[in-house]
Amino acid sequence: MFAFVTITIFVCMVMIMIRLFAGPTLYDRVLSLNTFGTCTVLFIGTVGLLFGRPDFLDIALLYALINFVGTIAVLKFFRYRRLGDAPETQEIATSESEAPQ
Amino acid sequence: MELTITLLLFFALVTTAVAIALLRNLFAVVMLSGVASLLAALLFIVMDAVDVAFTEAAVGAGISSVLMLSTIALTARHEKIPTRSSLVPLAIVSLTGMVLIYGTLDMPNFGSADAPVQTHVGPEYIQRTPKEIHVPNIVTGVLASYRGYDTLGEVTVVFTAGLGVILLLGGIGRRRRRGKGQS
């Protein structure tokens, strides 16, 4: 049962990789990286249960956190062109008008 | 089952590497390198090296993607098509790979019980950690207590480097914005 689920998640990961390779726009790629991270979380969970070590589930939660923060960082970077400090209102207006790719 | 999963993950890792080499859109390359490090982290997890896997995922998929994206913002989004043939670099890379594989031939098999690590150091830590440190996780016990000074040194180095980068780059950003406000 767990083996079937693991293989299914792996097939999903391969399909996401195809979209990441082919994906025409930037947002396709950001979304596919985020979905790949989610699949990684699920894969860690099922692999832990498959090999009889369910203590890996905590680590899967940490991966979910990293995935979330990473996606936010990438998107914030493409919105404001820099990380860390807060953007100015003028810059938000200009970055909204220029459509990224 | 474990062998099947390891082979599948290695197959996906090699496919990702080939895709990275083929693509010219550097943003896609950054995303694919994040995928490659997540796959490497999964391989480490299948090999039970959970802490190494976590470092790989945090640094490879998290920090280095953001650093690469900052570099793309400063340079260009597309790679120039190389004019020279890439046969010599391919030969050098293949040769290095073969030398590395040759180097692993002398190593003990993965998880073998008669490896030098398992016969001398490992049992010592396993016997002494519960009595001396009272930490259920032996890896944590080794890192935080037996090699405590080593870890403290690493943390100091990372803290100093981060402080230096913040002092250097933070000052530049503030000055640039102040200059923009005046003009």
Side-chain angles (χ1 to χ4, degrees), chain A residues 28-81:
Chain A
D28 282 329
R29 289 184 164 131
V30 174
L31 188 61
S32 56
L33 186 68
N34 188 18
T35 321
F36 194 89
T38 312
C39 278
T40 312
V41 174
L42 296 174
F43 196 89
I44 293 168
T46 50
V47 159
L49 289 167
L50 181 67
F51 296 153
R53 296 190 59 178
D55 16 321
F56 287 176
L57 281 175
D58 311 0
I59 292 144
L61 285 178
L62 280 174
Y63 274 72
L65 287 178
I66 282 190
N67 189 25
F68 175 70
V69 173
T71 311
I72 294 287
V74 170
L75 288 176
K76 190 182 171 192
F77 184 79
F78 271 94
R79 186 75 162 74
Y80 302 128
R81 296 277 150 194

Side-chain angles (χ1 to χ4, degrees), chain A residues 29 53 59 83 85 88 101, chain B residues 25 48 50 66 77 177:
Chain A
R29 289 184 164 131
R53 296 190 59 178
I59 292 144
L83 289 167
D85 42 358
E88 288 156 24
Q101 199 184 331
Chain B
N25 183 349
D48 274 0
V50 181
V66 172
R77 269 198 179 186
R177 241 171 300 145

